[in-house]
Amino acid sequence: MTALGFQPFAVEQYLSETEHGVRFNFSESGVHPMSYAELFTLCDIDKEELFATLVDYPQVNGREILRGHIAALYPNATPENVLVTVGATEANTLVAATLLEPGDNVIRFRPTYEQLAGNAHNLGFEVRSVDLVEDQGWAVDQSALNDAVDDRTRVIHTVNPNNPTGTILSFADRQTIVQAAERVGAWIVADEVYAGTERDTDEATASFWGSCERVIAINSMSKAYGLPGLRLGWLVAPEAMVQAFWRRHEYASIAATMMSMHLAEHALEPAHRNKLTERARRLIRRGFRTLEEALARHEGVFSVVPPQASAMSFVKFALPVDSDTFAKRLLMEEDVLVIPGSRFGVEDHFRFSSALPEDHLREGLERLNRLVDRILG
Ligand SMILES: Cc1ncc(COP(=O)(O)O)c(C=O)c1O
């Protein structure tokens, strides 16, 4: 906390202060981004047609065709249930600004990506943390969740699959969340940006949409599709709520860009969409195998709950340094960037992203092991 009570976004601050200019960047959470050339080829996009697009404001809530493609991804959703936003980031921000009323509290899981919780805190709301338990495969501490929820709980925020652990909620954990929310009339706000990045199956993680009445599902083009630079995301919510979010969206950004909406429309056509998620899964699966091999070089130093999805692994280490020192030395001495666990409130861990070109990944991991050799002396 700063003197004014403003809580910076610890993970994003670390990234924006360190990631530019670093040679081996393993700090990102998505797969290696696609080039425009690759996107145009994979999605058969006609350049001339796209270049004729006016550099204009698009439909503020999202072009009809785009909202149609998005709605088709959710059971019984219609385009009226969809608001297109500037990334999942804007969706999380709008949700915090719209749903919460004086006296409300928000439940978030730890460790997690704190976009919604941080916004809620900065708006003056109480945020309650419920731990995910590492030696149970990062399962939800169900009794802690039931104890934390009360009549003033307005939002249970879940990131599924999770950032930074890559874990997918078990059926039992999902049920506990749904039951806890229903018991007190809270909204489940499900940030599902890593759905579609599964490692062991080609079946995408099911959305919370449809699990109960009060659900807001958030997603974007950034992770499963490898297109973070489009800055295009969305939320899916009951129609009346979409209207309320839309009113804030007019203040926050007016709209995502015309070009991003057009490109997302091409990318979300079913045949193209499959190609993009296949690309992401290929990078994720190969990258994790390479990471596991490299971590095994130092017996007893590293352990990791294998991520079920996402490009990320939340690696535990047994070394005589804390996570900030480890990450700082890696950056200074080896030009390698990872995120220290301290940024997620968990010591002795770092977040590592491995869905990258193989040679680059291997060379960076060599450097990481070199630092470990030096630390162990
Ligand atoms: C869980 C989660 N939600 C949202 C975001 C931001 O996504 P976007 O690029 O769509 O704004 C991230 C980025 O790392 C994330 O990990």
Side-chain angles (χ1 to χ4, degrees):
M1 292 268 279
T2 64
L4 294 174
F6 173 76
Q7 179 182 297
F9 194 166
V11 168
E12 292 300 334
Q13 182 183 2
Y14 191 78
L15 283 171
S16 57
E17 288 176 351
T18 52
E19 73 183 337
H20 287 285
V22 70
R23 186 143 168 235
F24 294 89
N25 185 359
F26 302 129
S27 68
E28 281 301 335
S29 55
V31 296
H32 189 57
M34 198 171 289
S35 66
Y36 281 101
E38 215 179 336
L39 175 63
F40 276 52
T41 308
L42 268 182
C43 299
D44 295 322
I45 297 173
D46 177 350
K47 270 192 232 149
E48 293 311 316
E49 197 186 310
L50 205 69
F51 287 172
T53 306
L54 289 183
V55 188
D56 195 3
Y57 290 110
Q59 190 174 337
V60 165
N61 57 328
R63 282 164 44 92
E64 181 82 24
I65 180 168
L66 176 58
R67 286 184 294 114
H69 283 331
I70 294 169
L73 303 174
Y74 298 84
N76 302 320
T78 70
E80 283 63 48
N81 293 120
V82 178
L83 178 69
V84 174
T85 54
V86 180
T89 299
E90 191 199 345
N92 275 316
T93 307
L94 296 178
V95 166
T98 311
L99 277 186
L100 300 170
E101 288 167 9
D104 285 349
N105 66 67
V106 172
I107 307 287
R108 65 103 194 233
F109 297 99
R110 182 174 53 204
T112 201
Y113 189 71
E114 300 196 9
Q115 198 155 62
L116 194 144
N119 269 296
H121 169 91
N122 289 336
L123 290 167
F125 294 97
E126 184 193 354
V127 176
R128 299 179 177 176
S129 296
V130 171
D131 283 339
L132 301 172
V133 185
E134 184 169 21
D135 59 18
Q136 291 169 25
W138 296 112
V140 171
D141 182 337
Q142 296 187 0
S143 62
L145 174 61
N146 286 325
D147 289 348
V149 167
D150 66 16
D151 288 348
R152 293 317 307 260
T153 300
R154 183 82 168 153
V155 168
I156 301 179
H157 178 231
T158 173
V159 175
N160 189 43
N162 185 249
N163 173 359
T165 63
T167 313
I168 299 171
L169 288 169
S170 67
F171 180 74
D173 283 350
R174 275 179 79 110
Q175 286 297 99
T176 305
I177 292 171
V178 168
Q179 282 161 7
E182 281 184 327
R183 198 166 61 241
V184 297
W187 286 86
I188 296 175
V189 179
D191 182 330
E192 298 171 340
V193 294
Y194 298 102
T197 65
E198 294 70 21
R199 225 167 40 80
D200 304 321
T201 167
D202 289 342
E203 203 171 307
T205 306
S207 173
F208 265 90
W209 178 256
S211 309
C212 56
E213 221 174 284
R214 296 186 158 208
V215 171
I216 294 156
I218 291 174
N219 210 323
S220 87
M221 300 305 294
S222 295
K223 313 296 177 186
Y225 307 103
L227 302 169
L230 291 189
R231 307 305 307 126
L232 191 130
W234 59 85
L235 58 81
V236 178
E239 248 183 274
M241 293 309 296
V242 168
Q243 293 288 328
F245 295 130
W246 186 351
R247 299 291 79 82
R248 267 77 174 181
H249 175 63
E250 286 150 357
Y251 273 117
S253 67
I254 300 182
T257 71
M258 180 74 98
M259 192 56 109
S260 292
M261 288 195 195
H262 276 285
L263 290 173
E265 281 161 25
H266 284 286
L268 290 180
E269 273 175 32
H272 301 156
R273 188 174 163 261
N274 286 343
K275 287 191 204 167
L276 299 188
T277 49
E278 268 167 27
R279 171 188 179 271
R281 287 186 179 133
R282 205 168 43 245
L283 282 165
I284 285 167
R285 290 169 188 180
R286 194 189 55 204
F288 182 70
R289 284 196 295 271
T290 306
L291 172 66
E292 261 189 323
E293 261 171 46
L295 295 181
R297 278 254 314 274
H298 287 98
E299 223 189 305
V301 170
F302 296 114
S303 60
V304 61
V305 176
Q308 292 159 295
S310 92
M312 299 169 290
S313 299
F314 201 45
V315 181
K316 187 172 187 181
F317 61 83
L319 289 167
V321 289
D322 63 20
S323 64
D324 283 328
T325 309
F326 182 72
K328 194 167 172 196
R329 285 192 62 182
L330 206 48
L331 183 60
M332 296 302 167
E333 298 174 30
E334 296 289 352
D335 215 353
V336 168
L337 184 64
V338 300
I339 303 192
S342 64
R343 297 278 161 158
F344 292 95
V346 182
E347 251 317 321
D348 303 325
H349 286 72
F350 59 86
R351 192 186 84 179
F352 189 100
S353 177
S354 50
L356 296 166
E358 188 69 3
D359 290 349
H360 185 74
L361 177 61
R362 283 188 186 279
E363 192 180 339
L365 285 166
E366 277 298 307
R367 287 166 176 249
L368 185 143
N369 272 325
R370 224 154 57 193
L371 174 68
V372 175
D373 286 337
R374 284 199 297 280
I375 293 175
L376 291 176

